[in-house]
Amino acid sequence: MEIKDLLKRKLMIMELKSSNKMDVIDEIAQKFFDEGIVGSKEEFKEGLIKREEETSTALGEGIAMPHAKVDTVKEPAVLFAKKSEGVDYEAFDGEDSFSGKTSLKQEIYKGLRSSLHALGCDHDWVETTFRDKYEDFISTTNYNDLKR
């Protein structure tokens, strides 16, 4: 599986409507459901909330990686979302998340790497896959290559 296989153009929210954490979770769960990635919006949403109750998935530097391991997920996928003014997602550094401070490609790259770690993928595999690949990803990823 290549990095671009986890990205689908239909799972990009270029401007979140939501302005608080719980509404963002609902908006993300709805998008995954609408696009057929999950079978139940409510089950996925409950999984996202449960994971957030353990500790915030806000990584700092404007990035948050809400995720959940739930049976309703039909296929692995990564959703990219941003909000111009950011959202308070309880990041440890106090910065708003989803703010899009870095380029779309940078955020997708950092997000994918963090997501794979957070989802429990083999640490060595993730690091080997991503080691020294940042520049290649940034310079060669064409949005037309992203699956629809």
Side-chain angles (χ1 to χ4, degrees), residues 48-103:
L48 292 172
I49 291 169
K50 184 177 178 183
R51 174 59 186 84
E52 289 298 324
E53 288 171 348
E54 293 172 16
T55 186
S56 177
T57 59
L59 305 175
E61 297 183 24
I63 306 279
M65 296 303 305
H67 60 277
K69 284 186 179 182
V70 290
D71 292 336
T72 193
V73 175
K74 297 178 181 180
E75 65 180 281
V78 174
L79 180 144
F80 172 83
K82 74 179 197 96
K83 184 165 184 79
S84 298
E85 63 269 12
V87 176
D88 180 0
Y89 214 77
E90 302 170 6
F92 295 112
D93 66 0
E95 294 287 324
D96 284 344
S97 298
F98 304 102
S99 58
K101 291 180 181 177
T102 56
S103 76

Side-chain angles (χ1 to χ4, degrees), residues 84-135:
S84 298
E85 63 269 12
V87 176
D88 180 0
Y89 214 77
E90 302 170 6
F92 295 112
D93 66 0
E95 294 287 324
D96 284 344
S97 298
F98 304 102
S99 58
K101 291 180 181 177
T102 56
S103 76
L104 175 61
K105 288 181 182 180
Q106 289 171 321
E107 293 205 23
I108 289 171
Y109 180 87
K110 287 194 281 186
L112 281 172
R113 184 176 180 191
S114 298
S115 288
L116 293 171
H117 279 301
L119 291 171
C121 291
D122 180 73
H123 177 79
D124 292 336
W125 177 83
V126 172
E127 289 308 309
T128 300
T129 301
F130 282 84
R131 185 179 298 125
D132 301 322
K133 302 232 174 147
Y134 175 75
E135 290 303 322

